[in-house]
Amino acid sequence: DGKTQTITTSIWYRQIWKDEFLIWDPEDFDGITELSLSSDAIWVPDIIVAEFVKEGKSPPIPYVYVNSSGSVKNYRPIQAVLACSLEMYAFPFDTQNCSLTFRSWLHSGLPPTSKGDLGLFM
């Protein structure tokens, strides 16, 4: 949206971390190696996109998947409306570059350690 200098995008957001308090021996629990938990029941990283200006129409997915080794997966689709300096001078042949800055909401002075890919689709 050139007028408001925003872009609406869909992101497949994937977080994976290890929680030492969620490790169990599957033999003690009928061979269960993975389960889903409410994301409200455990600690979840407070990573946000700094350029958010408005919440999009994202489906709420209140669950995470945990395996017996303590690996936690939080996958969810996010529709985001982001602030972006749009240069429309060559419309319709222009190219836009918009940054996404992932950071902790609470610990804004510490950069998060992350690895992997960032897949965006519009």
Side-chain angles (χ1 to χ4, degrees):
D1 184 341
K3 239 182 203 182
T4 61
Q5 295 289 291
T6 60
I7 186 166
T8 301
T9 186
S10 296
I11 302 168
W12 184 247
Y13 186 72
R14 299 181 300 181
Q15 286 180 307
I16 301 173
W17 68 94
K18 188 161 185 157
D19 189 326
E20 64 188 48
F21 298 107
L22 297 175
I23 296 173
W24 71 90
D25 184 353
E27 290 181 14
D28 294 338
F29 296 95
D30 293 328
I32 295 172
T33 58
E34 186 173 70
L35 52 90
S36 59
L37 295 174
S38 169
S39 56
D40 292 335
I42 65 167
W43 176 85
V44 175
D46 65 338
I47 303 298
I48 62 162
V49 178
E51 292 81 12
F52 268 143
V53 292
K54 183 171 86 172
E55 202 170 320
K57 298 177 179 88
S58 305
I61 300 179
Y63 300 102
V64 295
Y65 295 97
V66 182
N67 71 25
S68 59
S69 67
S71 177
V72 183
K73 297 176 188 173
N74 183 18
Y75 294 173
R76 62 180 182 208
I78 297 174
Q79 184 185 55
V81 181
L82 308 166
C84 184
S85 180
L86 302 175
E87 298 178 15
M88 308 295 277
Y89 60 87
F91 182 81
F93 304 105
D94 53 342
T95 300
Q96 304 300 328
N97 290 311
C98 299
S99 296
L100 295 177
T101 308
F102 293 86
R103 66 176 181 87
S104 170
W105 178 257
L106 183 62
H107 303 288
S108 59
L110 302 172
T113 56
S114 63
K115 61 181 178 180
D117 62 355
L118 174 63
L120 301 179
F121 58 95
M122 293 184 178

